[in-house]
Amino acid sequence: AWHATERAARAGRCEYEQIRREIQNADVVHIDETGVKRDGEQAWIWTFKTAQHTLYAVRESRGSDVPAEVLGEDFAGTVICDGWTAYPAFSSNLQRCWAHILREAEDAAAKQDEAIPIHRELKQLYVGLQARLETDLSPRERAEVHRIGRRGLEKIIDRSVPDGPVATLLGKLEGGLDHWLTFVGEPAVSPTNNAAENALREPVVLRKIIGTLRNDRGMFVHETILSLLATWRQQGRNPYEELTRVVRDNEMISRDQATPVVESSG
């Protein structure tokens, strides 16, 4: 079973690289990462997701070098992400995830009373922005909504609070101030990173089942097969039929390359 899986991964690696090229040229990419073990040591599985493609990359790093490697250092699109420091180190064109910050505000409100009005105001601001953007706004109108949203965030941030969960929450809001409202000006950008989070669910389930990847070969197979299957499902293609096609095509190429060329003596 292992050798069959490895052969399939090697056969599909060209399509894996094609998926990466498509994502490198995308205008918007959702990125997220979660821990995975490699021979019992800490590693990370990253996901890069667009509307039509999903790529997984297993790396020993959780730093900005990974998106720089996968997307290219000159990537010009918008990255939708959480608050992990690797993302602003990689790109200044970000959309921070509102689902994350609203959850953190709710958690802070459960621990500290001063966070209750902050959570309420933050949620109202987000709902209000979403309602405005449901209409067909001109670029000038979007710019005005952006100004309103930024003033609302600054009002929330500009308050005196005791140390604790509330101060931490406001620090995160302030630290990402330039990245919370990208979606207002760019209609193709989502305000949440739910797409990438959902893409990590299957690897998380597999992590619970298999426990650890054993070596570089396991990392190679894991990221390749997961990427192919996820992308094919995304595009409405039958994963079994596509994987069969990839393996058969690769076998035909290998046979052709192995066949000696017999020159005519005439």
Side-chain angles (χ1 to χ4, degrees):
W2 159 250
H3 289 301
T5 307
E6 187 177 26
R7 287 198 303 272
R10 295 193 182 283
R13 195 63 182 188
C14 287
E15 293 214 12
Y16 176 92
E17 293 299 334
Q18 180 59 36
I19 292 170
R20 175 156 68 169
R21 287 190 290 271
E22 294 288 346
I23 292 176
Q24 286 175 336
N25 293 321
D27 294 327
V28 180
V29 178
H30 295 256
I31 310 179
D32 203 358
E33 81 295 324
T34 189
V36 67
K37 296 295 183 181
R38 179 194 179 278
D39 196 22
E41 299 295 328
Q42 185 64 61
W44 304 91
I45 182 163
W46 294 71
T47 185
F48 302 80
K49 186 179 179 71
T50 67
Q52 290 292 317
H53 302 87
T54 298
L55 188 95
Y56 295 96
V58 182
R59 298 292 184 271
E60 295 180 358
S61 170
R62 198 190 178 195
S64 60
D65 55 314
V66 178
E69 172 210 337
V70 173
L71 297 179
E73 294 184 357
D74 57 350
F75 177 71
T78 299
V79 171
I80 304 176
C81 57
D82 58 23
W84 178 234
T85 56
Y87 301 119
F90 166 67
S91 173
S92 60
N93 191 14
L94 306 177
Q95 170 61 58
R96 290 279 296 273
C97 178
W98 275 83
H100 273 81
I101 199 65
L102 288 172
R103 283 197 300 266
E104 291 184 29
E106 186 176 13
D107 290 343
K111 299 174 182 176
Q112 199 170 352
D113 288 345
E114 290 84 354
I116 295 175
I118 295 175
H119 175 232
R120 181 176 62 250
E121 292 173 25
L122 197 61
K123 188 174 181 179
Q124 289 174 346
L125 176 61
Y126 176 65
V127 171
L129 291 172
Q130 288 283 72
R132 288 293 305 274
L133 294 175
E134 287 178 357
T135 58
D136 187 17
L137 300 179
S138 66
R140 183 175 180 179
E141 290 170 326
R142 283 184 173 270
E144 177 60 25
V145 174
H146 190 283
R147 285 192 291 270
I148 293 171
R150 188 175 179 101
R151 285 199 299 267
L153 286 172
E154 290 172 343
K155 180 181 176 182
I156 293 172
I157 294 168
D158 188 22
R159 63 180 73 200
S160 178
V161 297
D163 291 337
V166 180
T168 300
L169 174 65
L170 294 184
K172 290 182 178 182
L173 281 171
E174 185 174 13
L177 188 56
D178 292 333
H179 307 304
W180 294 115
L181 301 172
T182 306
F183 76 102
V184 175
E186 300 182 28
V189 173
S190 168
T192 74
N193 201 27
N194 292 342
E197 286 191 346
N198 290 339
L200 284 179
R201 289 180 179 177
E202 185 173 4
V204 167
V205 171
L206 290 173
R207 180 181 66 193
K208 293 179 180 179
I209 295 171
I210 66 177
T212 183
L213 300 172
R214 298 298 297 273
N215 48 40
D216 290 343
R217 292 166 65 194
M219 294 166 64
F220 175 90
V221 170
H222 199 62
E223 67 181 17
T224 304
I225 297 296
L226 280 177
S227 300
L228 297 180
L229 297 181
T231 296
W232 290 332
R233 287 194 297 262
Q234 225 174 323
Q235 297 176 357
R237 296 153 70 183
N238 184 297
Y240 175 78
E241 293 176 356
E242 294 297 325
L243 193 58
T244 302
R245 171 187 59 79
V246 165
V247 172
R248 286 177 177 169
D249 288 350
N250 184 261
E251 289 176 348
M252 290 178 62
I253 293 172
S254 298
R255 283 198 299 268
D256 291 343
Q257 292 175 342
T259 301
V261 177
V262 179
E263 296 183 359
S264 172
S265 59

